[in-house]
Amino acid sequence: MENSVFPQRLPFHPRPPTEESTVIGNTDTVRCWECFWEFWNYETPKVIVVKNHNLGILYRAMQLLILIYFIWYVFIIQKGYQESETGPESSIITKVKGITHSHDKVWDVEEYVKPPEGGSVFSIITRVEVTHSQTLKTCPESMAVPNATCISDSDCIAGKMDMLGNGERTGRCIPHYSGTVKTCEILAWCPVENGGAISDSLGKMAPQFTILIKNSIHFPRFGFSKGNIKDDKNGYLKRCTFNETSDLYCPIFRLGFIAEQAGENFTELAEKGGVIGVIINWNCNLDLPDSACNPRYSFQRLDPKTIQESSGYNYRFAKYFNCNGTNTRILIKAYGIRIDVIVHGQAGKFSLIPTIINLATALTSVGVGSFLCDWILLTFMNKNKVYSTRKFDQISQCWDGNSVPESSIKNCSTQDFSLGDPNGPIQF
C-alpha cells in the first residue's frame, strides 16, 4: 500500500478568527443590547418658555376655545354630565268630533273619519267624487286608461285585462260616453269612474272639526312616565282647546289650526288632500321636578306639495247594496287630510360615569394647543435648530452617579457637570 497512486489526505486545521471578524460580531451584539436598553428609557416633558407673544396668544386662544366648547356645548347644551335615553315607549289614542254637510246630505264622524279605531294615523275626508249605481255589465272603457281608444274591433283584443284599466275587454270598439271618440268595450262595474263621477265638498265646516290626541310616554331606564292630559276631574277637557301658553295640557286641536300651523291654505289642502304630521317632542331633564317635563307640539306638511304627481292624498272605497235583485254599489273616491301623529323624546339624569369621561376628555383636549404650537415652533420658527436642540435632550448616568445631558458628556470619570437652576424653566 505504500506505492498507492491515491493522494494522501492531509489533516484539517480550522482557521483562527481574524481580528476584523471579531470586531464586527462584537459591534452587532452591542447594537442589539443598546436597542434593548433604549426601550426601557423614561421620557418626561421639558418646560421651555418661549418669549414669543404671537405664539403665546395663539396657544391661549386655542385653550380658551376648547374650554368654551366643553363648558358651553358639551356640558350645558348637550348635558354631558347626564345619562340619557332616547325613543320612549309611547301610546297614542285619537278622537275626532264634528259634523258637516254637502249639497245633498249630512256627514258625521262615522262617515268621514277613516279608519274609525282612533290610532296614530287617520284621515278626515274633505271632498268626494261619487259614482252612483255601478252594476256588473258592459260599457266603454275610460279614456284616461292608456291604449283604451280604438278605431275598429281589431284594436281591442277579447279577454285582455289592462292592470291600469277598469275591467276585461270584450273585443268590441264602441263610442265613448261623449260620442266623439271610440274606446274598447269592457265587462266591469259600469259606468266607470270617470264617466259618471259627481264631485262633492265637505270642506265648509271641516276647519271646525276637533281632534283629541291622547299621548302617554314611558322611559324604562329611569322608570319615568307621563301623559299630555291634565289630571282634572271637573270636566276640563269639555270646555278647552289647545293653547301653548294657557292650555298646554288640553290636547284638543281644531283641524283648521293644524293646517294653519303647518303653513297650509285649508281650502287648497281640502281640494287635493295632503298629509300633515303632528310631532310631539318630550325633552325631559329628570334632575328637575316632573313639572318641568312638558310636551312640545309642532306641525309639518309631510307629502311633497311642490311635486304635482306625488302631492295630495286620496283613496277609494265602495258601499254595496241590492237593488231589485241586482248587486249594485256606490264608488267613492275620497280626498282628505291624513294626520300622522309622531312622538319623539329624550330623557337625561345625572350620572357619574359620563361626567368623568367628559371631564377627562376636556382636560386631554386642552393639550391639542400645545401640540399645534410645538409643531409651528419646530417647523416654521426653528432657525438653525435652536428650539429643537433645547426641546429634545437626553440625560445619561455617569459613573459617579451624576445625571447630565449627553451633549455635555465628554469624560464622565474626570469632569463635573451642572444644569444650572434645576427648578427653573429654560427661557428663550
Side-chain angles (χ1 to χ4, degrees):
M1 298 295 294
E2 294 180 359
N3 298 325
S4 175
V5 295
F6 294 98
Q8 186 177 1
R9 178 173 295 179
L10 299 177
F12 173 75
H13 298 285
R15 183 179 180 182
T18 63
E19 181 178 357
E20 181 180 355
S21 61
T22 302
V23 172
I24 294 174
N26 292 338
T27 302
D28 293 340
T29 304
V30 170
R31 289 177 178 174
C32 290
W33 278 107
E34 287 179 351
C35 293
F36 174 77
W37 289 114
E38 188 71 23
F39 176 76
W40 300 104
N41 289 339
Y42 170 68
E43 298 179 358
T44 182
K46 181 178 181 181
V47 178
I48 300 176
V49 178
V50 180
K51 296 295 186 177
N52 187 304
H53 292 166
N54 292 332
L55 193 62
I57 292 173
L58 176 63
Y59 176 58
R60 297 305 178 189
M62 289 195 62
Q63 286 184 324
L64 181 62
L65 289 175
I66 292 171
L67 289 175
I68 291 175
Y69 167 77
F70 276 95
I71 294 174
W72 177 74
Y73 181 76
V74 175
F75 286 98
I76 296 179
I77 302 300
Q78 296 294 325
K79 294 181 175 60
Y81 56 88
Q82 290 184 336
E83 179 185 9
S84 63
E85 180 182 10
T86 58
E89 299 172 352
S90 173
S91 68
I92 299 170
I93 300 174
T94 58
K95 184 181 293 185
V96 182
K97 288 187 176 182
I99 58 172
T100 187
H101 63 85
S102 59
H103 73 279
D104 62 348
K105 66 173 293 186
V106 175
W107 296 71
D108 58 10
V109 175
E110 286 73 17
E111 289 189 285
Y112 65 73
V113 175
K114 304 290 181 180
E117 289 83 4
S120 61
V121 178
F122 61 94
S123 65
I124 298 175
I125 298 175
T126 54
R127 186 173 72 89
V128 292
E129 291 180 357
V130 183
T131 305
H132 293 277
S133 303
Q134 284 188 323
T135 58
L136 284 172
K137 60 183 181 180
T138 59
C139 59
E141 176 63 283
S142 169
M143 295 179 60
V145 177
N147 302 320
T149 57
C150 60
I151 299 176
S152 63
D153 293 346
S154 60
D155 297 328
C156 304
I157 302 175
K160 182 179 179 181
M161 299 184 68
D162 193 330
M163 291 297 102
L164 299 179
N166 295 286
E168 180 182 359
R169 294 185 180 182
T170 63
R172 297 177 58 201
C173 181
I174 61 176
H176 193 256
Y177 297 105
S178 62
T180 57
V181 180
K182 290 184 176 182
T183 59
C184 294
E185 184 184 56
I186 58 172
L187 175 64
W189 288 96
C190 299
V192 294
E193 182 179 34
N194 292 342
I198 300 174
S199 179
D200 205 355
S201 175
L202 288 70
K204 185 176 181 180
M205 300 295 295
Q208 303 303 318
F209 293 166
T210 59
I211 305 171
L212 170 65
I213 302 176
K214 295 193 291 185
N215 175 226
S216 298
I217 54 101
H218 175 66
F219 291 99
R221 177 177 295 180
F222 305 113
F224 177 81
S225 300
K226 196 168 184 180
N228 68 336
I229 295 181
K230 184 178 181 180
D231 186 12
D232 193 329
K233 299 181 181 179
N234 298 322
Y236 172 69
L237 288 180
K238 294 182 180 180
R239 60 178 187 272
C240 72
T241 54
F242 175 79
N243 185 286
E244 189 172 7
T245 304
S246 60
D247 293 295
L248 181 62
Y249 281 86
C250 177
I252 299 178
F253 306 88
R254 297 192 185 277
L255 185 59
F257 171 81
I258 293 176
E260 179 184 352
Q261 293 297 308
E264 298 298 321
N265 181 286
F266 190 87
T267 303
E268 296 177 0
L269 185 65
E271 181 69 18
K272 291 194 62 178
V275 183
I276 294 181
V278 179
I279 298 99
I280 308 176
N281 188 28
W282 296 84
N283 191 4
C284 301
N285 184 355
L286 300 184
D287 293 328
L288 302 176
D290 293 354
S291 59
C293 177
N294 298 312
R296 290 290 178 264
Y297 298 89
S298 59
F299 309 88
Q300 183 177 352
R301 177 80 179 263
L302 299 181
D303 61 307
K305 64 178 181 179
T306 56
I307 304 175
Q308 295 297 323
E309 296 297 328
S310 60
S311 66
Y313 177 75
N314 64 78
Y315 59 94
R316 293 173 175 83
F317 63 95
K319 295 181 178 181
Y320 294 86
F321 56 95
N322 188 284
C323 181
N324 299 325
T326 303
N327 291 328
T328 308
R329 77 176 188 182
I330 297 176
L331 177 64
I332 301 173
K333 182 178 181 180
Y335 295 82
I337 301 174
R338 195 179 94 171
I339 304 295
D340 290 12
V341 183
I342 305 169
V343 179
H344 298 300
Q346 178 176 343
K349 193 172 185 178
F350 175 79
S351 178
L352 191 61
I353 293 177
T355 302
I356 293 175
I357 292 175
N358 284 307
L359 281 175
T361 304
L363 295 175
T364 304
S365 299
V366 173
V368 174
S370 300
F371 175 80
L372 177 62
C373 290
D374 282 349
W375 178 74
I376 295 174
L377 181 69
L378 299 174
T379 304
F380 301 104
M381 303 172 60
N382 192 20
K383 295 181 179 180
N384 299 323
K385 297 185 178 180
V386 174
Y387 297 119
S388 59
T389 302
R390 304 303 298 270
K391 175 72 176 174
F392 305 103
D393 204 354
Q394 296 186 15
I395 305 298
S396 298
Q397 188 76 17
C398 290
W399 294 108
D400 59 358
N402 295 324
S403 295
V404 297
E406 283 190 349
S407 58
S408 302
I409 295 177
K410 296 182 181 179
N411 188 353
C412 286
S413 60
T414 60
Q415 297 185 17
D416 295 330
F417 300 91
S418 175
L419 291 176
D421 183 4
N423 297 323
I426 298 175
Q427 299 187 3
F428 287 98

